[in-house]
Amino acid sequence: MTDPDHSKEARFYLAGFGLALTLTLVPFALVHWALMEGRALAITIAVLAVAQIVVHLRFFLHIDLSRQKREDLQLILFTVLLLAIMAIGTLWIMGNLATRM
């Protein structure tokens, strides 16, 4: 016999897998068949990448806005903030060095 919670969890994972697969294949299709170009393509891929991150956080890491998971979400957001500061700082420094050369 199957446990109802087990089948519910399996459906949850399969829905996440389907969404993740779709969000992966759509950008590849857009590029392969040249359905979009330039800035519109880059923005579309960026939006789909953010959606992919949200799908992974929700369906596979079980991060949501509930009280119990809020600390995990804060830790992830703090990590993203640190990575953004490092990346932007690196680009800023490299840009300054390029203008001084």
Side-chain angles (χ1 to χ4, degrees):
M1 280 199 45
T2 62
D3 186 20
D5 290 337
H6 178 70
S7 63
K8 181 181 175 184
E9 187 174 347
R11 282 195 308 267
F12 189 72
Y13 279 116
L14 285 174
F17 177 71
L19 281 171
L21 187 63
T22 302
L23 290 170
T24 300
L25 293 178
V26 168
F28 278 101
L30 290 174
V31 171
H32 180 71
W33 288 301
L35 299 174
M36 299 176 83
E37 292 181 356
R39 181 170 278 179
L41 178 64
I43 291 172
T44 303
I45 290 174
V47 168
L48 291 172
V50 170
Q52 179 88 273
I53 291 169
V54 170
V55 165
H56 281 267
L57 288 174
R58 178 66 188 107
F59 287 93
F60 301 119
L61 296 177
H62 304 287
I63 303 294
D64 55 9
L65 298 176
S66 68
R67 197 76 171 140
Q68 300 167 350
K69 305 289 183 174
R70 198 159 294 161
E71 292 175 2
D72 294 338
L73 181 60
Q74 288 174 347
L75 179 64
I76 290 170
L77 291 175
F78 182 68
T79 303
V80 168
L81 175 68
L82 288 177
L83 290 172
I85 289 171
M86 289 188 327
I88 291 168
T90 300
L91 292 173
W92 184 358
I93 290 170
M94 297 303 267
N96 280 341
L97 288 175
T99 58
R100 293 176 190 220
M101 293 295 279

